[in-house]
């Protein structure tokens, strides 16, 4: 617990919370860094604070806070009676705001060496991130209580790295290409009518292959729109992969699939070239043509969202 602090920089190092609950309350002008995984975290009555939270297995709940800037990852995210929050978020379910105003969201963008293991310990997938799909329980007609941060927002300008010697020992990077969670565009306006769906099947190198493909596609100027990690049954594969389904059915038993949506003019052809060049011999589903690609994307994400209750 951190309670009643003012003008302080405080934190917990990897291994110090180890999956327990945590409470932050009545803090003012503080920089707070939880570099570990936890069960649930509640933040009450905090003002003008910078907060980083490592992966939270359950919920993160902000109540009666204002002027706070945060980076965090969790299963559920909820904000009530708050104003002026900026949140770089990774959330497995739909983020919820209630009786709150001027809440701004961006995609989680953070790295330190222990973070990938902490995601596993918290039972969170780095590919299940609905950061921009916000539900406002108390909408006001003609007003928007939330918005997305500018796409070029620099995380460190909002959530600076810690300055105390103890916390500086955690080797943090906020560069997009090093982020544990892939940086996606989410619900932002797409730059092109052309999207491409790629589905990677479970295996020893699936996560590494997904990261490599994202790096290659983003490096060529395409945008990563969204990602998903989910288990598929035979009937799901039939619906999503159509006549190609028999090729992939034996692979579904190995574990969940990882799906990536890329966007940009030429995304389908660009993706096919990269997959053939770099991942030759690895079985993947890639949209066949520009004409079928948007249907691929819609059918996969509709199935995935229903399965995950989003």
């Amino acid at each position: 617990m951190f309670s009643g602090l003012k003008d302080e920089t405080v934190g917990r190092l990897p291994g110090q919370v180890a999956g327990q609950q945590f409470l932050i309350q009545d803090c003012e002008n503080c920089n707070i860094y939880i570099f570990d995984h936890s069960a649930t975290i509640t933040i009450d009555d905090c003002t003008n604070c910078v907060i980083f939270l490592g992966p939270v297995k359950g919920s993160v709940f902000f109540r009666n806070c204002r002027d706070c800037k945060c980076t965090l990852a969790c299963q559920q995210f909820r904000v009530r009676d708050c104003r002026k929050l900026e949140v770089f978020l990774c959330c497995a379910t739909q983020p919820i705001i209630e009786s709150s105003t001027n809440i701004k969201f961006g995609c989680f963008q953070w790295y330190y060496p222990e973070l990938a293991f902490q995601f596993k310990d918290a039972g969170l997938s780095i590919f299940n991130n609905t950061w921009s799909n916000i539900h406002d329980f108390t909408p006001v007609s003609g007003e928007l209580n939330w918005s997305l941060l500018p796409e070029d927002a620099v995380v460190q300008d909002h959530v600076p790295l810690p300055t105390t010697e103890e916390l500086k020992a955690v080797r943090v990077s906020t560069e997009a290409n090093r982020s544990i969670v892939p940086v996606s565009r989410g619900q932002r306006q797409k730059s092109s009518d052309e999207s491409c769906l790629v589905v990677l099947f479970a295996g020893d190198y699936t996560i590494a292959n997904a990261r490599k493909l994202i790096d290659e596609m983003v490096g060529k100027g395409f945008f990563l729109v969204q990602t998903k990690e989910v288990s598929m049954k035979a009937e799901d594969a039939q619906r999503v992969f159509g006549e190609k389904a028999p090729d992939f059915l034996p692979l579904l038993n190995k574990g969940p699939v990882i799906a990536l949506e890329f966007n940009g003019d030429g995304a389908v052809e660009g993706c096919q070239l990269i997959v053939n060049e770099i991942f030759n011999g690895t079985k993947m589903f890639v949209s066949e043509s520009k004409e079928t690609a948007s249907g691929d994307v819609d059918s996969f994400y509709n199935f995935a969202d229903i399965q995950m209750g989003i």
Side-chain angles (χ1 to χ4, degrees):
M1 171 192 241
F2 289 132
S3 180
L5 303 178
K6 190 172 181 183
D7 302 323
E8 288 192 51
T9 294
V10 293
R12 291 286 183 267
L13 295 173
Q16 290 185 338
V17 179
Q20 299 177 82
Q21 292 186 1
F22 209 89
L23 177 63
I24 300 169
Q25 63 184 26
D26 299 311
C27 292
E28 187 181 343
N29 298 327
C30 287
N31 288 14
I32 298 167
Y33 304 88
I34 309 292
F35 289 126
D36 205 0
H37 69 104
S38 55
T40 60
I41 294 188
T42 307
I43 299 108
D44 288 336
D45 305 298
C46 288
T47 304
N48 199 30
C49 289
V50 164
I51 299 170
F52 172 84
L53 306 177
V56 181
K57 188 180 186 116
S59 63
V60 170
F61 198 178
F62 280 82
R63 295 182 295 202
N64 198 31
C65 294
R66 60 185 175 89
D67 295 300
C68 291
K69 300 178 181 187
C70 324
T71 298
L72 61 101
C74 58
Q75 174 73 21
Q76 295 176 307
F77 178 80
R78 193 153 181 190
V79 169
R80 194 174 75 204
D81 300 317
C82 293
R83 59 187 172 93
K84 278 192 79 178
L85 301 187
E86 295 175 356
V87 187
F88 291 88
L89 181 64
C90 176
C91 187
T93 56
Q94 188 174 30
I96 290 170
I97 69 168
E98 185 181 350
S99 306
S100 297
T101 57
N102 202 359
I103 313 296
K104 296 182 179 179
F105 292 91
C107 182
F108 183 99
Q109 191 172 312
W110 204 270
Y111 166 88
Y112 53 86
E114 299 85 353
L115 190 52
F117 293 109
Q118 292 173 2
F119 265 88
K120 279 200 178 71
D121 288 337
L124 299 178
S125 167
I126 60 173
F127 296 104
N128 290 335
N129 186 10
T130 60
W131 67 270
S132 61
N133 184 18
I134 315 300
H135 179 68
D136 186 353
F137 258 138
T138 49
V140 179
S141 181
E143 291 180 33
L144 197 58
N145 292 321
W146 63 273
S147 60
L148 301 185
L149 286 159
E151 196 161 4
D152 58 0
V154 178
V155 178
Q156 260 179 263
D157 291 348
H158 301 260
V159 183
L161 303 191
T163 51
T164 63
E165 286 308 314
E166 181 194 27
L167 295 171
K168 270 169 38 181
V170 180
R171 302 201 310 279
V172 174
S173 167
T174 59
E175 290 172 36
N177 63 349
R178 293 195 69 193
S179 177
I180 288 292
V181 174
V183 178
S184 60
R185 296 194 81 199
Q187 311 250 331
R188 296 185 197 279
Q189 184 79 39
K190 290 182 180 175
S191 61
S192 164
D193 291 336
E194 184 174 345
S195 275
C196 178
L197 177 71
V198 183
V199 180
L200 297 89
F201 298 90
D204 293 340
Y205 305 107
T206 311
I207 292 175
N209 286 344
R211 286 187 165 288
K212 176 74 172 157
L213 182 55
I214 292 167
D215 287 347
E216 292 287 332
M217 286 292 283
V218 171
K220 290 193 164 40
F222 298 108
F223 295 100
L224 179 66
V225 177
Q226 57 180 338
T227 64
K228 195 73 79 182
E229 182 172 12
V230 67
S231 296
M232 287 186 95
K233 299 189 184 78
E235 58 267 30
D236 305 322
Q238 218 73 51
R239 205 160 59 241
V240 175
F241 304 135
E243 58 195 32
K244 281 190 162 185
D247 293 350
F248 302 121
L249 288 178
L251 304 173
L252 299 181
N253 299 329
K254 293 184 174 180
V257 302
I258 293 172
L260 312 171
E261 179 192 348
F262 296 103
N263 183 262
D265 293 342
V268 172
E269 189 185 353
C271 198
Q272 288 171 347
L273 285 170
I274 289 169
V275 167
N276 291 335
E277 198 178 301
I278 299 178
F279 302 101
N280 201 356
T282 303
K283 256 205 170 156
M284 294 184 191
F285 172 85
V286 183
S287 294
E288 264 190 349
S289 68
K290 182 180 172 180
E291 289 69 38
T292 61
S294 63
D296 294 339
V297 169
D298 289 345
S299 60
F300 182 87
Y301 283 97
N302 287 343
F303 133 72
D305 286 348
I306 289 166
Q307 176 154 333
M308 298 182 75
I310 293 173

